[in-house]
Amino acid sequence: MGSGLTVVAGAGGFIGGHLVAHLRAEGRVVRAVDVKPLSEWYQVFEGAENVVADLKLREECGRVCAGAERVYQLAADMGGMGFIEHNKALCMLSVLTNTHMLLAALDAGVSRFFYSSSACVYAADKQLSPDVIPLKESDAYPAMAEDGYGWEKLFSERMCRHFREDFGLATRVARYHNVYGPHGTWEGGREKAPAAICRKVIQAKHRKEPTIEIWGDGTQTRSFMYIDDCTRGTLAIADSEILEPINLGSSELVTINQLVDIVEEIAGIRLRRSYNLKAPKGVPGRNSDNTMIQRELGWEPSTRLREGMERTYRWIQDEYIRKYGD
């Protein structure tokens, strides 16, 4: 990786903020871009060039990619299951951001374009049981992606491929599996399961209400990747010669009930569980097959869930107290 300008699109978000932190720590020159006003960014770094821009607009993409050597395209309208199940059109509109960023990166002559895809691209019929067979990269086809969000991600993966094949733009694609950690969304409807469960447990503890609502029956299985593993893997994949989309996720599988167990243990509390069977709950089971990343990079995300959840819980607890008091 040269010493030129690196653009992080979606830098005001959870993963983007951590990526900027990592790149700045390496001494990179970073242009951080997000549609949100700076006051709403999760992390802002004075050493970066911080730009507010709507990347659905072609001219804005041209402006932020000008002079760039690398682009990390993480900008998307997204959230947890509660958001993506009820905002399919909004999720699909991220195709404008991805298309315009690819065109702008091509025009700017960038040397690498990284795109963050998602495990939501995988065929639904391979995720029908909590007793999952881990998803390998080839399981995205025949295509039957998560409606809305997953289809947009799969389409944009193909765009990256064809920009590479037809125009020579060096694109790299990682399929993220459930990223969690500090400095992320923890309330308001876009948060994902780890943060939502932390908030619910913290709330129950502070309000002395000994009940927690769980979406679904709690038997859904998932793997969750800690943010430090995500940023490390993202940079390694961007640097690599891996041309096909590749899984970036933990292979440590848990049920949602087990995730609640972990958070209760961290909090030192036991709660009654109320199961909301009408709430969005996603597929019954999903896990990452890490054979390809182990083979290509000799590495896989490996932060233990208990350890990562402890750090996440402590951060959300501090945020909760700051906002709502003791």
Side-chain angles (χ1 to χ4, degrees), residues 114-323:
F114 173 89
Y115 174 60
S116 60
S117 186
S118 164
C120 290
V121 302
Y122 284 114
D125 65 353
K126 295 209 164 56
Q127 305 174 71
L128 297 176
S129 168
D131 303 319
V132 296
I133 297 168
L135 293 158
K136 53 185 185 293
E137 284 76 4
S138 57
D139 288 334
Y141 296 94
M144 199 195 299
E146 181 110 35
D147 200 12
Y149 179 71
W151 275 108
E152 189 279 322
K153 288 291 188 187
L154 194 61
F155 176 84
S156 294
E157 283 188 8
R158 303 299 286 191
M159 288 283 284
C160 287
R161 174 180 174 169
H162 296 312
F163 266 68
R164 176 171 56 78
E165 291 174 343
D166 294 2
F167 303 136
L169 178 64
T171 56
R172 301 290 183 267
V173 176
R175 291 175 181 156
Y176 290 167
H177 289 246
N178 294 318
V179 188
Y180 74 99
H183 299 287
T185 308
W186 56 276
E187 65 174 352
R190 289 181 185 245
E191 66 278 15
K192 295 185 176 182
I197 290 167
C198 285
R199 185 200 73 245
K200 288 176 181 180
V201 170
I202 290 162
Q203 215 165 13
K205 199 173 178 181
H206 281 262
R207 294 180 179 175
K208 298 182 170 50
E209 297 168 353
T211 303
I212 182 170
E213 182 188 79
I214 296 170
W215 287 7
D217 62 7
T219 64
Q220 313 96 284
T221 51
R222 294 290 186 277
S223 64
F224 298 96
M225 171 173 50
Y226 190 62
I227 184 61
D228 292 357
D229 282 336
C230 179
T231 52
R232 183 182 170 194
T234 294
L235 294 167
I237 290 163
D239 281 342
S240 77
E241 296 309 310
I242 303 165
L243 300 182
E244 297 302 316
I246 184 170
N247 280 335
L248 185 57
S250 167
S251 57
E252 182 186 350
L253 191 70
V254 290
T255 65
I256 297 301
N257 280 326
Q258 287 170 328
L259 186 61
V260 176
D261 291 342
I262 288 170
V263 180
E264 285 179 338
E265 187 187 306
I266 292 165
I269 194 172
R270 294 292 293 176
L271 301 171
R272 284 196 303 274
R273 298 181 186 189
S274 150
Y275 293 96
N276 182 350
L277 302 182
K278 292 183 178 171
K281 56 185 179 293
V283 294
R286 176 184 292 153
N287 197 9
S288 178
D289 183 318
N290 285 350
T291 307
M292 184 173 169
I293 196 168
Q294 287 169 338
R295 184 182 70 237
E296 297 289 338
L297 298 178
W299 173 87
E300 67 174 315
S302 58
T303 303
R304 300 299 298 174
L305 185 59
R306 176 69 170 73
E307 182 189 340
M309 285 301 290
E310 179 127 24
R311 293 180 206 159
T312 306
Y313 180 90
R314 302 288 171 221
W315 181 82
I316 293 174
Q317 183 173 246
D318 288 347
E319 292 295 299
Y320 184 92
I321 291 167
R322 188 177 294 127
K323 185 168 184 180

